[in-house]
């Protein structure tokens, strides 16, 4: 039993989101902003794999899944799982909260939208001494972006070794 448990390999869990100044991420089931290049960044990240043939397992909340434009699908290199309590009962915790607390979660891609938006959905607070903001991260533009008059910055928070 222990041997088989040891064979189970941790697959990294990554969160990706964009949050405005008050950590808002959504309003009325949609994104509060329209930032096509920022959205393209999300698509690039969720469809990129370490080598051909690999796939990312994308876990979506039901509302988020149904709010994505139909022409988005299929997403390259992705297998999608949509959570709903009508299908599978888990806890009431926000999806992101569950992922953040998971030992296999190592990275948070969190775009900092430097503006105020009226939101009804928020990214959960997380411990920034556990998940540390990276100065630079491979594949992530360093410089501040500007689109539709809104400034934003791609950020990556990495879990410090020792926090599992
Ligand atoms: N800015 C960003 O980066 C970003 C990213 C993602 C989403 N958003 C925005 O955030 C909003 C959606 O987020 P949300 O939190 O309101 O909704 P959501 O997580 O997309 O969907 C919530 C629903 O998903 C199901 N669900 C979630 N966690 C579950 C669990 N642990 N077990 C079983 N079912 C589970 C439940 O469906 P049932 O009701 O069917 O039980 C729940 O009502 C939208 O406005 C979206 O545009 C923004």
């Amino acid at each position: 039993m222990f041997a088989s448990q040891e064979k189970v390999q941790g697959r990294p869990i990554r969160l990706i989101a964009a949050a405005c100044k008050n950590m808002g991420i959504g309003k009325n089931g949609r994104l509060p902003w329209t930032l096509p290049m920022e959205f393209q960044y999300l698509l690039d990240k969720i469809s990129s794999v370490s080598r051909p043939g690999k796939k990312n397992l994308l876990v979506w909340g039901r509302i988020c899944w149904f709010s994505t434009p139909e022409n988005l699908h299929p997403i390259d290199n992705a297998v999608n799982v949509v959570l709903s309590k009508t299908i599978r009962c888990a806890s009431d915790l926000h999806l992101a909260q569950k992922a953040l607390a998971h030992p296999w979660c190592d990275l948070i891609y969190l775009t900092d939208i430097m503006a105020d938006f009226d939101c009804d959905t928020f990214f959960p607070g997380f411990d920034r001494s556990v998940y540390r903001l990276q100065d630079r991260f491979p594949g992530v533009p360093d410089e501040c972006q500007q689109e539709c008059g809104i400034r934003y910055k791609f950020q990556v928070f990495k879990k410090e070794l020792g926090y599992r």
Side-chain angles (χ1 to χ4, degrees):
M1 185 176 166
F2 286 128
S4 65
Q5 276 182 344
E6 277 166 20
K7 278 186 200 158
V8 175
Q9 290 228 317
R11 303 280 181 211
I13 295 174
R14 274 91 198 247
L15 277 92
I16 185 157
C20 63
K21 278 189 183 170
N22 63 356
M23 295 306 278
I25 60 168
K27 174 80 176 171
N28 297 330
R30 314 200 67 80
L31 290 176
W33 45 77
T34 304
L35 297 172
M37 289 186 328
E38 205 288 322
F39 196 70
Q40 187 57 49
Y41 171 80
L42 164 93
L43 291 181
D44 292 346
K45 290 291 167 227
I46 63 180
S47 60
S48 76
V49 285
S50 52
R51 55 172 195 272
K54 285 206 150 204
K55 287 196 183 294
N56 293 322
L57 182 73
L58 304 183
V59 182
W60 305 76
R62 179 183 54 79
I63 295 173
C64 185
W65 171 260
F66 284 110
S67 73
T68 57
E70 272 181 33
N71 62 5
L72 194 75
H73 302 287
I75 296 169
D76 290 345
N77 308 318
V79 173
N80 299 287
V81 172
V82 182
L83 296 185
S84 170
K85 291 184 199 74
T86 56
I87 298 169
R88 174 177 167 261
C89 226
S91 78
D92 278 338
L93 276 183
H94 191 285
L95 251 186
Q97 258 175 304
K98 287 181 74 75
L100 283 165
H102 198 285
W104 298 350
C105 183
D106 61 351
L107 296 178
I108 308 169
Y109 291 84
L110 184 62
T111 304
D112 177 17
I113 311 280
M114 301 170 194
D116 293 301
F117 285 90
D118 182 24
C119 297
D120 59 15
T121 314
F122 298 85
F123 196 81
F126 60 94
D127 188 339
R128 291 178 190 228
S129 65
V130 175
Y131 289 97
R132 293 285 180 94
L133 179 60
Q134 304 297 293
D135 277 343
R136 298 222 154 120
F137 200 80
V140 175
D142 234 10
E143 62 281 0
C144 203
Q145 313 288 315
Q146 179 144 351
E147 197 178 0
C148 309
I150 296 165
R151 291 172 64 234
Y152 60 88
K153 188 159 189 343
F154 299 120
Q155 301 182 128
V156 178
F157 293 83
K158 186 173 178 189
K159 192 189 264 169
E160 290 289 292
L161 284 179
Y163 290 99
R164 284 255 156 200

